[in-house]
Amino acid sequence: MPEKQESAAQPAGQEVETLNGQPENPKDDSNGQTAEEDAGDVADALYPLTIHLPHEPNNIHVMVSPQEQVHELRQSVIELPAAFQYSCFHLEHAGERINDFVQISDVNGLGPEAEIRLVEDPYNEKEARIHVIRIRDLVGAAGDRTDTLHGVLPGVSLFDSVTASAKDTDNVQASAYDFDASAQTSALLPQEEEPAPKTVKSIALSPWNPPPYHLRQKGHLLYLLVTTNEGEQYQITSHVGGFYVNKSSNSKFDPLPRAAPKGHSAHSLFTLLTQISPSFSDAFEQLLQYNNRKDPLATFQMTNAIPAAPWLVPSQTSPLCAHSSDITRTQEGYLISGVDNTDTLRDWNEEFQSARELPKETVQDRVFRERFISKLFADYSDAAARGAILVARGEVTPLNPTEGPDAQIFVYNNVFFSFGADGVGTFTSEGGDDAARVATGKDVNGVRIVNQLDIDGLYSPATVVVDYLGRRIVGQTVVPGIFKQREPGENSIEYGAVEGKEIVAADERFAPTFEKLSKALKVKKHPVWDKDGKRFDLEASVETKGLMGTDGRKYVLDLYRITPLDVLWLEENNTVAEGERTGLEYPHRMTVLRPELVEAVRSQKWTEWVNKELARLKKQSQSKSQDDKTGKEESSPAEGQGAGESKPEESKENTEESKESTEEPKESAEGLKESTEESKESTEESATAEAEDRIDGSEFHFALNPDAFSGQVPQTDAEKEELAADEEDVRNACKYLRESAIPDFVNDIKASDLPFPMDGQSLSKMMHKRGINMRYLGKVVALCEGPRLLRLRDLCLQEMISRAFKYVSGKYLRYLPIPLTSSCIAHLLNCLLGFGFNGKPTADIDETLKALYPEADLAFADVTPETLRQEIEAQVACRFKFTLESDWHNDLKHLQLLREVALKLGLQLQVKDFQFTSDSSSGVTANGVNGQTNGDGSKSKKKKKARDGSPSSIASSTSTPSTFAPDDIVNIVPIIKDSAPKSAISDEALEGGRHSIMQNNRKIGQELLLESLTLHEQIYGILHPEVARAYSSLAQIYYQLEEKEAAIDLARKAVIVSERTIGVDSAETLLYYLNLGLYVHGSGDSKTALAYVKHALDLWKIIYGPDHPDSITTLNNAAVMLQHMQAYHESRIWFEQALAVCERVMGKQSLPAASLLFQLAQALALDNESKAALGKMRECYNIFLHQLGPENNNTKEAETWLEQLTQNAVAIAKRDKDAQARRLRAGIRFPPRNVALGGAAAAQPAGLSKPKSDKPDARSIDDLIKFIEGNNAQKKSTKKRAGRGGPKTRVGAVASS
């Protein structure tokens, strides 16, 4: 695909080609129309335009929307094959030039069937450079780009190869899957493919470039050197009028046009190439066909998100990583940015703050503003991450080179960088470097929340935190005036603490804006005191600072204390006096509560307050006289309005703020909504006589003091009382976390109300969404009892160990020279995971490199597996207050822990057959998980493919081979946390569409959903994690609305975008594959659906290992798909596997196991295994009898089936005996019996849409029987089949009676 110069316009370009008449802004009600009428108008307004081109094919037709901008139309034109050659042009209508930055609707006389003329413009140097870059990309002449930020194979997608694997397979191949095989790491790599056809050997800048002064005056812009496929070399002049072949050679300079017949010229370099190279046109056609084999989403360039870097990458000898010769690669910096590199320098702060000041009155204003801000944040995050890597590598000169390394600050590319360490002693009393590190992480979250709240008149510097090789680097936009030299006695901070907390400022100009912020954050206005005991009443925490920029804007800084301290944790863990520290205390005092928890506490208080008000009203209504009632009725409408609005608004606000973009149910918000709804109902029940009585929500107040327990010294008794009350509120919030939030979280996972987390990332997202800090992992582990929760316990332990390893490795990596880091990482991984293969690993350090860095601290070389374990145990004990068992290192899931560590540190490892144990045959059973041969599901032991590059990896300088060698560490990518807000308008449209559909307003609902889709694509660009989530949500809704084709298309897009932006093996990608499988099966293509399910199972083995609780439903669904294909024998194998996993996870006597036994018995009956079917049904009956009693419907139905299967088994045994005798006599083979129960099998898939693929089966047994049975089971007329037909009919009758 061509590189998109106007990248902000990318979504619109896509929209012109794919929208097919979807309305762009159906919600715009600025002209007073209803949303529905308006949507109709906009849909009608999409109209065709004819564009006249200066060259063949002379005309093209495009569909446009009047809301589009002209530059978006330009972008969609140049992406059409007929207009590839154009980049420097303008559009004219009726002889008038059209401004590129106006809306199409603003162009006079431009309407349906209008004609626009494309007019080629003269080039300038910048346009010529852009044209050369575009043509190089378009014709495939640009080699591989080695990027300093994105790493190896960034943004790769496996979807095309997974889909291709389903083609040309029969039922047996489609169902074939080795459940016991260990994880295949090769499943994460894209398939190798033949290289793209070459259209031209090279397009480079000529050695004669740039033009001398006298020729620049004549319009010469660049000199190029083109080598065609025929081997001819052409020197080309880029002139203001176009491109022509000149007379220069490598030794002689003559840039004037060459004479005919070799003298060719054209306005576009693309056209010139077709003239000078006879094979170019055919080769370019082949290139287009080659590119079209892939899904366009898999090849689009990312402009609004950082692509996901895979943690496993192919060997560097693989064609996927081939490094090609391309002289222009080094010239691209000049081509993109010009001689002075000034094209790319931007004043980030001014851009951000100006973007915030854009109007947001109309829907179009909001869309433009949010889209602009989204693109700005994406560009800034990219620039800040690149700068941070250079800072970490020591390639940027500090502004204060005389300071210590941690105190140094840098400015690069107009971004201000500092280290997330306590270089100047600000956090000495809070815990030094550890506290400073946490503060930067909390600050970035605080800035994101402020950006999301979007308060008028309050500005914040854009903030990005980058973790790279053990160092944390903070990149912020430069606030005007922050470096200004102040007069003596003058402070730079106008609001909040100035130096430590000894001096406090409280400029009244900041109070109104800070008040808005604090109200939204549930922060209480409270007094603080300076060192002299002087009182200041602040709206925000004393740590949150206000600064008046020299641009006159009010900036808020240091947002790491927007919530109170977790005082219970501090009291438990920091009771030791400073001098008696033992190393086991919590490393810092920055233990703040999460904003989500404050929101949950507020909603709990709200419910309590509502119930109290209801009781009060009920009491009043019983005691008041009729007169009072009538008086109240007169005054109630205003009151009622206030309360009626406040309740839903409050609960909605809670939903929006605490909602994180994961696939888990919106648990806390929904719970709050439910409780509010319940309280509404009870209002009406308790006050039926006076229905007008309402609660005035404005009387409810909830706010916490963020400076409670942080060393404030009140002066008077009243102040002491007030502070004591504030402290009690905070203490109660901390109690809520311990006594409600954590147990509720564990119980919800136990009861399957929450999907079971797959890895550390999904676990931390789920905990954070409930307001639980990761330091409480130890507490979560303590609550894990019972077979299902043991899996959660193992996952929490793995997360604690991987986090502890991150801290330990950071200590060794932080100050290590970059070339030695591979040796350090490989050695630490050997000590953590490779001790079973080599019990005494030694660090493999290149002696020549070691000699170059005599001052380097090589302490990592002394680490042994034993000392590393001690360090990890100490970190787990002090950070999570949990003591690991003495043999924890023997119970590791090796591959899963390696993945967690790699993702946390940003490692890209070369894929190979990792040897975690010395005995290759029993290597994987070392963990003994469930006593299975595939123990941790972690080893690719059985992988038969060539071990790419591993001989070189193993051949290290040490005599004994180790699991990891320095060569295995291919690259380290930075871990980036940004402060970009989510788009509010696109989320509103999505929620509005959902709500309308729930209210049965299907037409308006679907209009809003289409609107939401368009807004997501426009605001975020197509390749963005939020867009993947929107695609997935919409696919689910469309599938429920029976719009199956639309659902499949959206689910397919969700998979590809998720793979490229979140990761090929992320938990979200796995979930999207499962959903896509369900939708594809629902439309009748079960073979392709099974390919997606099998790929998801491969991912599960790598992400989690075997036996993930939610995989039971997936295995069950796959079995039903196979029954739909009438592959009865294969389906029974999948049912057996689902049962085996269920018994290991839930226990053999559990009700889910009984449900699966019920299904397996029927599958066995379908597969003519009547004896086995009878045995399974008997087991099922016994469990139901024991768990539910003889009177339960499930027990009775199982009993009915048992009787019928018994009769059936007797009849079949008798028939088999007769048949065998006949076969022996005749000497012929007995044909397999296929019992004609197609009706039941065909009816089964209807049940597939019932369980969501990410949840275990929560249906009743009645539902399961209907699901297995189908509703169209028929009585069979033949005597032989009567036994089999009977129970189906009877159960059908029982179920329907």
Side-chain angles (χ1 to χ4, degrees), residues 241-403:
F243 294 80
Y244 62 78
V245 179
N246 65 32
K247 297 178 186 173
S248 296
S249 68
N250 287 339
S251 55
K252 180 173 73 88
F253 179 56
D254 183 359
L256 299 177
R258 186 178 277 197
K262 289 195 172 180
H264 300 285
S265 66
H267 186 269
S268 168
L269 181 59
F270 183 85
T271 317
L272 186 65
L273 290 172
T274 57
Q275 294 172 3
I276 62 177
S277 171
S279 64
F280 176 80
S281 295
D282 290 342
F284 182 66
E285 196 55 46
Q286 288 168 12
L287 177 68
L288 287 182
Q289 288 169 4
Y290 175 87
N291 288 339
N292 288 340
R293 286 189 308 193
K294 290 183 179 170
D295 192 296
L297 280 177
T299 54
F300 276 159
Q301 250 193 320
M302 284 201 209
T303 56
N304 283 34
I306 288 176
W311 65 277
L312 280 178
V313 295
S315 126
Q316 295 310 292
T317 55
S318 157
L320 291 166
C321 300
H323 192 48
S324 57
S325 164
D326 177 18
I327 193 167
T328 323
R329 191 189 291 121
T330 49
Q331 302 169 346
E332 278 192 336
Y334 158 70
L335 283 171
I336 292 166
S337 313
V339 179
D340 305 322
N341 195 25
T342 49
D343 289 14
T344 53
L345 272 181
R346 299 164 66 172
D347 183 346
W348 294 109
N349 191 70
E350 187 53 39
E351 284 192 52
F352 272 112
Q353 314 316 342
S354 303
R356 287 217 179 92
E357 289 165 354
L358 287 170
K360 47 183 176 181
E361 277 71 45
T362 67
V363 172
Q364 280 97 336
D365 286 345
R366 286 182 68 191
V367 171
F368 180 79
R369 181 175 180 271
E370 289 191 2
R371 176 179 175 176
F372 189 71
I373 288 175
S374 171
K375 178 74 181 107
L376 199 50
F377 268 107
D379 291 350
Y380 175 71
S381 296
D382 190 80
R386 288 176 195 281
I389 290 175
L390 294 176
V391 166
R393 288 175 166 267
E395 295 180 27
V396 182
T397 309
L399 299 179
N400 51 347
T402 54
E403 303 275 344

Side-chain angles (χ1 to χ4, degrees), residues 150 279 393 424-425 494 588 788 906 1046 1134 1139 1143 1183 1214:
H150 297 152
S279 64
R393 288 175 166 267
V424 291
E494 269 101 348
H588 59 82
R788 182 177 162 87
W1134 284 72
L1139 176 65
E1143 287 180 341
I1183 295 173
K1214 185 173 181 295

Side-chain angles (χ1 to χ4, degrees), residues 392-500:
R393 288 175 166 267
E395 295 180 27
V396 182
T397 309
L399 299 179
N400 51 347
T402 54
E403 303 275 344
D406 283 342
Q408 289 178 347
I409 54 175
F410 309 80
V411 172
Y412 181 80
N413 198 358
N414 280 342
V415 181
F416 170 62
F417 293 102
S418 57
F419 290 111
D422 192 22
V424 291
T426 313
F427 292 97
T428 309
S429 62
E430 304 290 326
D433 285 353
D434 276 302
R437 186 184 177 89
V438 172
T440 54
K442 297 289 178 195
D443 184 41
V444 104
N445 288 338
V447 173
R448 187 187 308 113
I449 291 170
V450 168
N451 289 339
Q452 192 72 55
L453 292 171
D454 204 9
I455 293 164
D456 288 336
L458 188 65
Y459 300 87
S460 58
T463 308
V464 169
V465 167
V466 177
D467 289 330
Y468 185 68
L469 288 171
R471 308 202 80 165
R472 174 161 282 191
I473 298 149
V474 187
Q476 293 177 302
T477 53
V478 182
V479 174
I482 199 164
F483 293 130
K484 188 176 137 189
Q485 288 293 320
R486 305 280 168 173
E487 298 293 321
E490 185 189 8
N491 297 321
S492 57
I493 302 298
E494 269 101 348
Y495 201 83
V498 180
E499 289 167 15

